[in-house]
Amino acid sequence: MTRIVAGFAGSLTLTVPAKGTRPTSDQVREALFSALDARDAIRDYRVLDLYAGSGALGLEAASRGARVVTLVENGFAASQTCRKNAAAVQKAAPKGANLSISVSSQAVQSFLAGTPDGFDLVFLDPPYDLADAELAANLAALTTLLDPDALVVVERSSRSPEPTWGPGLVRERRKDYGDTTLWYAGVAGPNP
């Protein structure tokens, strides 16, 4: 069972697609969002959740105060699940909340090539078998959409190599949770 951990939608159970996704465990989500809370990296942020699956990461950010959340999921059943979960979180939002949640049913690379939006926080939780080159292409396309203080979090198998960050991103830290590794990266500053 996947649920929202904290915020206005805390304890809300999320629907998970029957197959084709690998939801982030509650333990990993709790640790991730504790780290983000410590950085004050959620409230009023514009959040992008790529390879969203059920939308749990982006919707957790919405529950904790993100202003805009975009879920990107190409799989038909998973994108329908994202829509259902997004509607449930939106319904749980306090009256007058300035919250926008949208779902895009595009492939990640197509979405990144076509969106003009900027983002403060980005989650990439691709299938563990996604090729490293495809992840590197996602990260390269993402860099022009990031605000100067943006944070990117990539979830991979602990057996996978470090992502190829490419120009514009710099690794900040790695945190392992059993078979799961979270990689954090920030926007590289200007060269002196």
Side-chain angles (χ1 to χ4, degrees):
M1 176 174 69
T2 299
R3 62 183 176 83
I4 299 293
V5 176
F8 67 76
S11 299
L12 178 73
T13 300
L14 299 175
T15 302
V16 176
K19 59 182 179 177
T21 64
R22 175 199 35 78
T24 302
S25 73
D26 283 355
Q27 174 201 8
V28 172
R29 267 189 302 113
E30 286 182 47
L32 167 61
F33 280 92
S34 290
L36 294 174
D37 281 337
R39 293 175 71 137
D40 196 25
I42 301 171
R43 182 152 306 281
D44 293 325
Y45 271 33
R46 291 162 298 153
V47 176
L48 178 60
D49 185 353
L50 300 173
Y51 302 98
S54 67
L57 294 176
L59 297 173
E60 183 75 39
S63 181
R64 292 175 185 241
R67 180 171 38 96
V68 176
V69 175
T70 304
L71 308 174
V72 179
E73 176 54 62
N74 192 38
F76 178 76
S79 67
Q80 294 301 99
T81 299
C82 283
R83 289 181 205 292
K84 179 180 178 182
N85 289 336
V89 169
Q90 193 82 53
K91 183 177 179 181
K95 288 194 187 301
N98 185 20
L99 172 61
S100 170
I101 304 173
S102 62
V103 178
S104 174
S105 300
Q106 291 180 273
V108 166
Q109 205 63 28
S110 296
F111 175 84
L112 293 173
T115 187
D117 296 335
F119 298 97
D120 305 298
L121 176 60
V122 180
F123 301 113
L124 286 99
D125 183 11
Y128 281 174
D129 63 355
L130 183 81
D132 294 335
E134 188 171 348
L135 178 59
N138 294 164
L139 291 166
L142 183 62
T143 57
T144 61
L145 304 174
L146 298 174
D147 285 349
D149 294 325
L151 179 65
V152 176
V153 181
V154 178
E155 180 177 335
R156 296 294 274 168
S157 165
S158 58
R159 293 177 300 281
S160 297
E162 178 175 354
T164 302
W165 299 111
L169 289 173
V170 61
R171 173 187 160 184
E172 291 185 2
R173 74 186 259 210
R174 169 191 177 146
K175 189 70 180 159
D176 294 313
Y177 303 92
D179 290 339
T180 300
T181 297
L182 295 179
W183 298 92
Y184 296 75
V187 175
N191 291 330

